[in-house]
């Protein structure tokens, strides 16, 4: 017996230290947990170091602009009915208080003001088509004008004929607002076969998307559906907040599943020990370690991601083993005391802590924010679990005596004797079968790293999103170009060059549409060129005079127009002024000028060929941003490096065990997690399950728990029965909690649960083989 | 005598005030058909121009597709209007507020749907009728102050008065109701199919 440990150990002092630590955490927690500490957006997962800082900043700006936007279409058989549904929806949205703006009616006033603002620059602001006509064949413009003027619906265009006889401005203004919208009662309506759809756009008041708001939003949209559908209408909605809302909703549901499983596990504990004390202590252990991990992680990172919470809390699950091992040890002898128990298990659980820490900490090596958070979270949680068992339990277990031999103990005792014996007897055929099964499964294992698997959007949500993108040129959220220049002029040149290349792709139908500011705002030199073009083609040639006279303008009117043209010679409108009155869709493209760098985004919709677009990266000032592919390829690279880290973790644990117990014994102990991992991977292959970065977390858990079982059995000596009980209980609670994640609808959570379940079952079945010989000797 | 006068006045105001009844009466006279074809002469009077813009051409109305407005002189051009779309060779535009509908209603002799968009007054005489339409829609009101329609069993004359003082007069002639579109007309409407 290792008396030295006991000699310096005073249960009261230890428990006091533990309590002090908890108090400190409580004080810190009361400060950090009241702030906004939970991150739910998936774009937050992108590592900052992956991008140049100025690009990262531009991308962040872009994301902030689109993050809070929701697009809704209400459908009906007639346009007024569609508008009525939309009005109803608008009211509901406004009542909720979730939004800072709900836009339905096109703002006529703003429209008119915009017209007035830009009209003064009509000689400088020419749309691309008009410029082309003027360059190629100026007379053709006259024909086109006549066509408009003679048209029975040309009232609006002709309204300013007096001050704009060439109808330059109405052309420019119409070209600014492309799309096939019709205004019905001031609402934009788009038609699709027999269906009419009214467009409503809403902006979340808080686009950091706090969790409470997301849940309210999800319910709001779901509830809004019913009355519209009851009236024979339809509601389509999409937008980042909705996807995030669904994601966090299912994450919450999964956390609920885990807690139901945990509760069942706890009930099992209660039945086994027939006492409240182990149960309460287990709860204290779990609560304290999770609380410590949460508080310290937030202190370090400022904010933690919801996935950190899910996976981190899972990884801490190993911690319950320490407690179980301690309790079960009490069945091992009649004169058991907490001190003796601690003395017996201390080596095992400390070794296990060390190995788990090594394997979890290795997660934090790659510069991937989520991995670092999870690694840190689980390391702190495990230390907390260990400290609780070692510092607090001895005092609180004083006088603890299991009053009976539980049936469960008899069962596991029987099992640990006969099951390994059966395995050994049949090893002649079992081993080859197992090898073939494992090899076959591993051979079928194919990794999938698509980031979209992170989002657990329902089929319904995806269908609505798809339909909306068919009806409207909704910009792709995560794919766009960033265009930069040293000043607005330089930026304009770069963006125009890009737009030309995009136009070519549009012609080839690999792209439905694209949009950029430089389409609408000509750079100052272009503005002057436009003026000179008009001067050369219409004024200096006398074409204007002829056109106006033939149309029926009198001499006076012609002279006035010439005078107006002359005065406007040095007019030009700067980007800032132009943007000032622009609508939001335009403003969203501009990310601003800062320190000699002006940046805009060029949005895309209906992308069919990502490769062709990515090849435009590297045009002067142009960067291609594809956040989805970037994340996917990132996941792929980190899956690869995390695999290596996992292997390294096995190696380090093996070396550690080798130093302590000798190489043969270390290999025997390690065989449990290694085989469990192999079987788990093979099962993923056989059942064609998702294999990605996130399965590796599960395998780390399998490593941690597998080593646990191996060490416990190795050190069990004559206490194999109580060890078998501890291991079985641990396996059952793990399966009940994390194995239950296998029913999740989120692909990665499901894969996590599946991997853990397969691995833990295997570890449970193999562990009793460890330490058999030692006992016999 | 005074009673008679009162009675006449009453009847007159009744026929003027009850738009639905008025429209019903006119509707009853109009030839209803899925397709209407004819010629038009348009005179546009623009305030800033000394002389009117006069054009003529043909039109065809098809209940299910919309209107093809073919100007032949002075500048040949084609305009297609449906419920929600307005197509010209220069490109597609959003339909100006309620305009497509109004045009369709008038050429298709479907007056019932006019009542929703306009305040209607008018009179029906023995062989002819006349109505005056004032837009209800705020946006349309800003552009068009009043429209005047008159005809017999067909719409013959349409006058549009704009708020800025401009006006257009459209005269319809040679109206016929064929059973189907000609090949060329089918081809014109094809521009509207998505």
């Amino acid at each position: 017996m290792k008396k030295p440990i006991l000699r310096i150990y005073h249960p009261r002092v230890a428990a006091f230290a533990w309590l002090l630590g908890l108090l400190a955490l409580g004080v810190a927690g009361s400060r950090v947990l009241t702030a906004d500490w939970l991150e739910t957006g998936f774009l937050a997962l992108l590592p900052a170091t992956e991008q140049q800082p100025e690009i990262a900043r531009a991308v962040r700006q872009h994301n902030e602009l689109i993050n809070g936007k929701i697009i809704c279409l209400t459908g009906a058989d007639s346009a007024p009915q569609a508008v009525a549904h939309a009005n109803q929806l608008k009211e509901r949205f406004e009542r909720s208080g979730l939004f800072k703006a709900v836009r339905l009616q096109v703002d006529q006033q703003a429209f008119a003001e915009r017209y007035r603002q830009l009209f003064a620059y009509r000689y400088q602001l020419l749309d691309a088509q008009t410029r082309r006509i003027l360059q190629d064949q100026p007379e053709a413009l006259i024909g086109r004008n006549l066509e408009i003027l003679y048209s029975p619906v040309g009232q609006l265009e002709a309204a300013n004929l007096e001050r704009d006889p060439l109808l330059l401005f109405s052309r420019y203004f119409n070209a600014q607002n492309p799309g096939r919208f019709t205004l019905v009662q001031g609402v934009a309506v788009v038609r699709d076969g027999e269906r009419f759809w009214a467009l409503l756009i809403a902006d979340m008041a808080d686009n950091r998307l706090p969790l409470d708001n997301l849940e309210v939003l999800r319910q709001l949209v779901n509830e809004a559906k019913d009355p519209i559908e009851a009236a024979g209408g339809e509601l389509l909605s999409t937008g980042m907040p909705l996807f995030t809302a669904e994601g966090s909703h299912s994450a919450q549901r999964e956390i609920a599943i885990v807690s139901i499983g945990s509760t069942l596990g706890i009930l099992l504990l209660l039945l086994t020990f027939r006492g409240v004390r182990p149960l309460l202590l287990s709860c204290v252990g779990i609560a304290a370690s999770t609380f410590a991990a949460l508080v310290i992680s937030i202190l370090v990172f400022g904010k933690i991601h919801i996935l950190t919470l899910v996976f981190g809390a899972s990884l801490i699950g190993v911690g319950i083993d320490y407690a179980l091992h301690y309790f079960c040890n009490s069945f091992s002898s009649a004169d058991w005391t907490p001190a003796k128990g601690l003395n017996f298990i201390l080596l095992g659980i400390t070794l296990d802590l060390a190995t788990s820490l090594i394997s979890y900490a290795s997660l934090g090596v790659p510069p991937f924010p989520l991995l670092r958070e999870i690694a840190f979270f689980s390391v702190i949680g495990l230390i907390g679990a260990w400290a609780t068992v070692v510092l607090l339990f001895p005092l609180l277990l004083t006088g603890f005596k299991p009053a009976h031999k539980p049936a469960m103990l008899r069962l596991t005792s029987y099992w640990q004797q006969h099951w390994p014996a059966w395995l050994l007897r049949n090893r002649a055929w079992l081993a080859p079968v197992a090898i073939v099964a494992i090899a076959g499964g591993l051979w079928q294992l194919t990794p999938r790293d698509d980031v979209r698997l992170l989002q657990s959007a329902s089929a319904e949500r995806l269908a609505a999103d798809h339909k909306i993108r068919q009806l409207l040129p909704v910009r792709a959220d995560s794919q766009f170009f960033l265009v930069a220049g040293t000043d607005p002029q330089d930026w304009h040149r770069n963006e125009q060059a890009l737009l030309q290349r995009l136009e070519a792709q549009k012609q080839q139908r690999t792209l439905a549409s694209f949009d950029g500011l430089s389409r609408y705002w000509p750079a100052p030199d272009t503005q002057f060129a436009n003026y000179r073009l008009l001067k050369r083609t219409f004024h200096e040639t006398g074409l204007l005079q002829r056109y106006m006279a033939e149309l029926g303008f009198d001499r006076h009117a012609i002279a006035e127009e010439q005078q107006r043209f002359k005065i406007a010679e040095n007019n030009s409108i700067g980007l800032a002024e132009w943007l000032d009155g622009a609508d939001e869709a335009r403003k969203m493209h501009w990310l601003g000028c800062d320190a000699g760098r002006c940046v805009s985004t060029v949005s895309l919709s209906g992308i069919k060929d990502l490769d062709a677009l990515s090849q435009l990266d590297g045009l002067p000032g142009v960067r291609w941003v594809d956040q989805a592919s970037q994340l996917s390829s990132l996941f792929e690279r980190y899956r690869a490096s995390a695999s290596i880290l996992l292997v390294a973790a096995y190696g380090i644990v093996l070396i550690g065990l080798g130093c302590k117990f000798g190489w043969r014994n270390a290999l025997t102990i390690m065989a449990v997690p290694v085989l469990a991992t192999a079987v788990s991977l093979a099962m993923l292959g056989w059942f064609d399950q998702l294999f990605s970065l996130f399965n590796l977390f599960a395998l780390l858990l399998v490593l941690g728990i597998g080593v646990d079982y191996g060490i416990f059995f190795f050190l069990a000596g004559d206490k194999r029965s109580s060890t078998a009980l501890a291991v079985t209980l641990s396996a059952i609670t793990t399966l009940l909690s994390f194995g239950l994640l296998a029913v999740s609808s989120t692909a990665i959570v499901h894969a996590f649960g599946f991997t853990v379940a397969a691995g833990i079952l295997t570890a449970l079945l193999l562990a009793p083989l460890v330490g058999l010989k030692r006992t016999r000797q | 005598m005074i009673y008679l006068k009162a009675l006449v006045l009453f009847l007159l105001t009744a026929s003027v005030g009850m738009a639905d009844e008025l429209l019903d009466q006119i509707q009853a006279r109009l030839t209803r058909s899925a397709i209407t074809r004819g010629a038009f002469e348009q005179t546009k009077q623009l305030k800033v121009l000394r002389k009117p813009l006069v054009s003529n051409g043909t039109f065809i109305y098809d209940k299910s597709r919309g209107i093809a407005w073919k100007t032949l002189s002075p500048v040949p051009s084609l305009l297609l209007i449906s419920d929600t779309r307005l197509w010209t060779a220069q490109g597609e535009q959003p339909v100006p507020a309620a305009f497509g509908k109004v045009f369709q209603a008038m050429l298709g002799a479907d007056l019932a749907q006019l009542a929703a968009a306009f305040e209607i007054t008018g009179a029906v005489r023995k062989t002819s009728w006349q109505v005056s339409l004032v837009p209800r829609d705020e946006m349309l009101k800003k552009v068009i102050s009043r429209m005047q329609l008159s005809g017999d069993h067909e719409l013959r004359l349409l006058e549009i008065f704009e708020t800025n003082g401009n006006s257009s007069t459209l005269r319809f002639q040679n109206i016929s109701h064929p059973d189907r579109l000609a090949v060329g007309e089918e081809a014109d409407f094809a521009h509207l199919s998505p």
Side-chain angles (χ1 to χ4, degrees):
Chain A
M1 286 284 132
K2 294 126 194 135
K3 292 282 184 212
I5 301 172
L6 278 181
R7 218 175 289 141
I8 56 161
Y9 187 89
H10 298 286
R12 280 170 201 283
V13 176
F16 185 68
W18 182 90
L19 205 62
L20 269 184
L22 190 70
L23 267 175
L25 282 176
V27 171
S30 68
R31 204 162 48 83
V32 294
L33 288 176
T34 45
D36 184 23
W37 56 271
L38 191 64
E39 182 84 63
T40 50
F42 287 113
L43 293 174
L45 302 180
L46 266 177
T49 49
E50 274 287 300
Q51 293 163 332
Q52 296 165 24
E54 71 268 21
I55 292 177
R57 195 172 59 91
V59 169
R60 202 164 50 241
Q61 246 175 312
H62 166 87
N63 289 342
E64 271 166 23
L65 284 172
I66 60 164
N67 248 356
K69 261 197 197 334
I70 292 176
I71 298 172
C72 296
L73 286 177
T74 55
D77 294 334
S78 73
Q81 190 57 46
V83 172
H85 290 322
N87 271 316
Q88 201 184 356
L89 186 67
K90 183 183 181 212
E91 224 172 88
R92 193 182 276 269
F93 274 16
E94 278 172 346
R95 258 203 319 269
S96 74
L98 272 185
F99 304 95
K100 66 171 172 237
V102 183
R103 276 166 294 151
L104 181 59
Q105 270 82 14
V106 174
D107 188 348
Q108 295 296 326
Q109 184 121 20
F111 206 67
E113 268 166 31
R114 181 71 173 155
Y115 191 98
R116 276 195 292 279
Q117 183 202 5
L118 297 184
F119 188 77
Y121 303 101
R122 60 192 174 282
Y123 305 117
Q124 280 81 21
L125 299 174
L126 298 181
D127 64 292
Q129 199 188 30
T130 306
R131 197 160 49 233
R132 232 181 351 263
I133 296 173
L134 287 175
Q135 278 161 351
D136 300 347
Q137 206 189 350
E139 285 86 357
L141 193 73
I142 295 176
R144 294 196 171 216
N145 279 359
L146 293 181
E147 199 179 307
I148 294 170
L149 290 171
Y150 280 104
S151 149
V153 291
Q155 282 86 359
L156 285 172
E157 282 85 351
N160 251 328
L161 190 64
E162 191 178 355
R163 293 174 63 210
D164 184 20
L166 282 173
L167 306 181
L168 297 172
F169 190 66
S170 69
R171 276 169 217 284
Y172 171 77
F173 205 65
N174 285 343
Q176 290 245 310
N177 302 286
R180 290 191 353 210
F181 286 112
T182 306
L183 290 183
V184 177
Q185 295 161 37
V187 177
V189 172
V190 65
R191 186 176 181 180
D192 163 47
E194 290 304 299
R195 267 276 198 241
F196 291 86
W197 301 93
L199 173 68
L200 179 141
I201 297 175
D203 288 301
M204 299 286 287
D206 185 353
N207 61 4
R208 286 167 307 151
L209 309 180
L211 209 54
D212 302 348
N213 287 7
L214 287 180
E215 190 50 29
V216 177
L217 172 73
R218 207 184 58 82
Q219 281 175 9
L220 184 73
V221 173
N222 283 347
E223 281 166 17
K225 252 184 142 73
D226 299 338
I228 292 176
E229 274 170 9
E234 253 178 282
L235 172 62
L236 301 177
S237 52
T238 191
M240 209 55 135
L242 286 170
F243 278 98
T244 314
E246 278 206 356
S248 55
H249 177 72
S250 55
Q252 280 171 313
R253 203 185 51 218
E254 272 125 36
I255 291 171
I257 291 175
V258 171
S259 37
I260 290 172
S262 305
T263 314
L264 287 175
I266 284 166
L267 281 177
L268 190 75
L269 274 180
L270 196 65
L271 286 177
T272 309
F273 295 106
R274 288 217 198 136
V276 188
R277 211 174 335 175
L279 179 67
L280 284 180
L281 285 179
S282 301
C283 292
V284 168
I286 294 171
S289 54
T290 312
F291 182 68
L294 187 64
V295 171
I296 297 178
S297 297
I298 298 170
L299 276 176
V300 170
F301 294 105
K303 244 178 150 184
I304 60 168
H305 198 274
I306 190 161
L307 282 178
T308 305
L309 212 55
V310 172
F311 287 114
S314 302
L315 290 174
I316 292 179
V318 182
I320 188 128
D321 288 5
Y322 308 156
L324 284 176
H325 200 41
Y326 202 169
F327 303 143
C328 289
N329 188 256
S330 68
F331 294 124
S332 58
S333 67
D335 57 345
W336 186 83
T337 63
K340 277 187 186 169
L342 180 67
N343 191 28
F344 181 80
I345 64 153
L346 188 62
L347 176 65
I349 67 170
T350 309
L351 268 178
D352 181 66
L353 175 71
T355 55
S356 298
L357 286 188
I358 290 168
S359 51
Y360 289 2
S362 69
L363 266 184
V365 175
F368 195 35
L370 181 69
L371 288 186
R372 290 214 158 146
E373 277 183 23
I374 294 177
F376 188 81
F377 188 96
S378 45
V379 160
I380 298 295
L382 271 191
I383 294 174
W386 180 88
T388 308
V389 169
V390 173
L391 298 177
L392 183 70
F393 281 22
L395 181 68
L396 296 186
L397 279 176
T398 310
F400 176 70
K401 270 250 152 52
H404 67 295
K405 283 226 168 219
M408 189 78 181
L409 180 64
R410 285 198 293 279
L411 201 71
T412 52
S413 169
Y414 176 85
W415 173 75
Q416 67 85 14
Q417 277 172 8
H418 292 85
W419 167 249
W422 183 83
L423 281 181
L424 289 174
R425 259 203 316 283
N426 293 292
R427 62 171 177 251
W429 65 271
L430 271 177
V433 167
I435 287 170
V436 169
I438 289 174
L442 290 179
W443 188 68
Q444 293 174 62
L445 195 66
T446 38
R448 269 173 288 170
D449 300 298
D450 196 333
V451 65
R452 272 154 288 201
L453 296 168
L454 271 174
Q455 292 197 336
S456 52
S458 57
E460 192 190 358
R461 165 92 30 250
L462 289 172
D465 181 67
H466 184 70
K467 176 89 183 163
I468 289 180
R469 282 172 199 281
Q470 270 182 341
L471 292 171
L472 304 173
V474 179
R475 57 195 289 173
D477 286 341
S478 62
Q479 284 126 351
F480 54 90
F481 284 100
L482 280 177
V483 185
T486 51
D487 55 43
Q489 182 79 52
D490 185 45
W491 156 78
H492 191 273
R493 195 177 318 116
N494 291 342
E495 189 177 292
Q496 279 291 307
L498 172 66
L499 295 190
Q500 255 173 31
R501 302 286 291 268
L502 291 176
E503 182 62 39
Q505 295 203 8
K506 193 181 160 189
Q507 298 296 332
Q508 289 164 10
R509 295 183 183 270
T510 53
L511 185 66
S513 70
F514 57 91
D515 212 0
L517 264 190
S518 68
R519 253 187 171 180
Y520 309 104
W521 176 76
D525 64 344
T526 315
Q527 293 185 29
F528 292 128
N530 285 343
Y531 184 89
R532 282 197 301 277
L533 184 62
L534 275 171
K535 191 170 177 182
R536 201 177 64 230
T537 53
F538 268 83
H539 288 261
E540 288 173 356
T541 56
L543 194 57
L544 178 82
Q545 231 168 328
R546 220 163 54 232
Y547 158 76
M548 286 183 75
E550 271 170 28
L551 208 53
F553 283 96
D554 58 27
R555 206 186 299 241
H556 181 64
I558 297 172
E560 264 186 3
E561 171 60 17
Q562 284 170 327
Q563 185 60 27
R564 276 194 297 267
F565 185 74
K566 209 169 163 185
I567 291 170
E569 176 149 20
N570 291 317
N571 269 5
S572 87
I573 180 165
L575 183 58
E577 190 189 344
W578 188 92
L579 275 172
D580 190 37
D583 60 23
E584 214 195 339
R586 304 273 175 277
K587 281 183 181 159
M588 268 178 70
H589 282 103
W590 187 241
L591 299 179
C593 285
D594 184 27
R597 207 179 127 83
C598 297
V599 187
S600 74
T601 56
V602 169
S603 58
L604 308 162
S605 71
I607 298 170
K608 296 212 180 64
D609 189 350
L610 279 174
D611 283 346
L613 289 170
S614 67
Q615 277 163 21
L616 298 181
D617 181 89
L619 286 177
V622 173
R623 291 309 298 265
W624 164 242
V625 181
D626 179 355
Q627 299 181 88
S629 307
Q630 236 181 339
L631 264 182
S632 299
S633 85
L634 211 73
F635 282 176
E636 191 188 331
R637 277 180 286 145
Y638 288 127
R639 177 179 48 72
S641 54
S643 302
I644 295 169
L645 290 171
L646 186 69
V647 173
Y650 273 90
I652 294 168
V653 171
L654 180 67
I655 291 169
L657 292 178
C659 294
K660 182 77 193 161
F661 303 121
W663 295 107
R664 273 188 68 94
N665 292 331
L667 279 173
T668 317
I669 295 171
M670 284 304 284
V672 175
V674 168
L675 283 171
T677 301
V679 169
S680 187
L681 284 172
M683 296 290 267
L684 289 174
W686 280 114
F687 288 94
D688 193 27
Q689 294 288 311
L690 176 73
F691 178 57
S692 72
L693 172 65
F694 298 94
N695 299 65
L696 297 175
F697 300 152
L699 291 179
L700 270 180
L701 191 63
V702 170
L703 166 63
I705 295 179
V707 170
D708 243 3
Y709 296 174
I711 292 176
F712 291 169
F713 267 105
F714 180 77
L715 295 176
D718 56 348
K719 296 179 174 139
R720 282 182 65 87
S721 294
S722 67
T723 303
L725 178 62
V727 166
T728 310
L729 281 179
S730 153
I732 291 174
T733 49
T734 308
L735 286 175
L736 276 178
S737 47
F738 310 120
L740 269 186
L741 290 175
V743 302
S744 165
S745 58
T746 310
I748 52 166
V749 180
H750 165 82
F752 183 90
F754 186 91
T755 314
V756 170
I760 295 304
L761 264 177
T762 313
L764 175 67
L765 294 180
L766 289 178
L769 285 170
V770 178
L772 275 181
K773 281 188 193 134
R774 261 166 71 100
T775 331
R776 275 182 213 144
Q777 282 159 5
Chain B
M1 189 61 191
I2 195 155
Y3 287 113
L4 194 63
K5 227 176 180 172
L7 189 66
V8 168
L9 259 175
F10 174 71
L11 285 176
L12 208 64
T13 48
S15 71
V16 167
M18 298 169 78
D20 283 351
E21 201 178 314
L22 175 77
L23 289 179
D24 285 348
Q25 285 177 30
I26 299 169
Q27 189 79 69
R29 294 197 193 175
L30 286 171
T31 317
R32 283 202 94 159
S33 112
I35 300 178
T36 307
R37 183 190 284 152
F40 70 84
E41 190 195 71
Q42 178 187 258
T43 309
K44 261 193 169 182
Q45 197 81 52
L46 301 185
K47 226 176 39 181
V48 293
L49 304 183
R50 284 172 303 165
K51 55 179 193 190
L53 301 173
V54 181
S55 61
N56 55 53
T58 60
F59 72 90
I60 180 117
Y61 162 82
D62 180 331
K63 195 170 188 319
S64 59
R65 299 178 203 225
I67 300 160
W69 190 267
K70 210 168 200 165
T71 307
L72 299 174
S73 98
V75 193
S77 69
L78 176 65
L79 172 74
L80 300 169
I81 308 170
S82 75
D83 275 4
T84 53
R85 295 172 66 185
L86 192 155
W87 182 94
T88 71
Q90 297 192 34
E92 186 140 345
Q93 293 166 29
V95 186
F99 218 90
K101 197 157 244 177
V102 172
F103 236 69
Q104 290 221 54
M106 288 189 287
L107 290 182
D110 183 8
L111 298 179
Q113 54 171 303
L114 286 179
F118 297 92
E119 286 180 42
I120 300 177
T121 51
V124 179
R125 288 180 215 93
K126 210 173 205 171
T127 55
S128 66
W129 52 266
Q130 190 184 24
V131 287
S132 174
L133 309 178
V134 175
R136 290 183 203 271
D137 184 275
E138 289 299 321
M139 265 171 69
L140 196 59
K141 223 182 217 170
K142 281 188 187 144
V143 185
I144 290 167
S145 58
R146 185 168 58 94
M147 295 202 275
Q148 192 117 0
L149 285 70
S150 57
D152 38 50
H153 58 281
E154 303 287 357
L155 173 68
R156 296 292 179 192
L157 182 69
L158 164 62
E159 291 166 284
I160 304 170
F161 300 96
E162 295 172 38
T163 47
N164 57 13
N166 295 343
S167 67
S168 317
T169 308
L170 288 152
R171 275 173 218 287
F172 302 103
Q173 288 135 9
N174 304 334
I175 295 169
S176 65
H177 299 279
D179 290 333
R180 62 179 50 137
L181 298 177
V183 180
E185 292 163 346
E186 288 270 10
D188 287 344
F189 277 117
H191 292 296
L192 276 184
S193 41

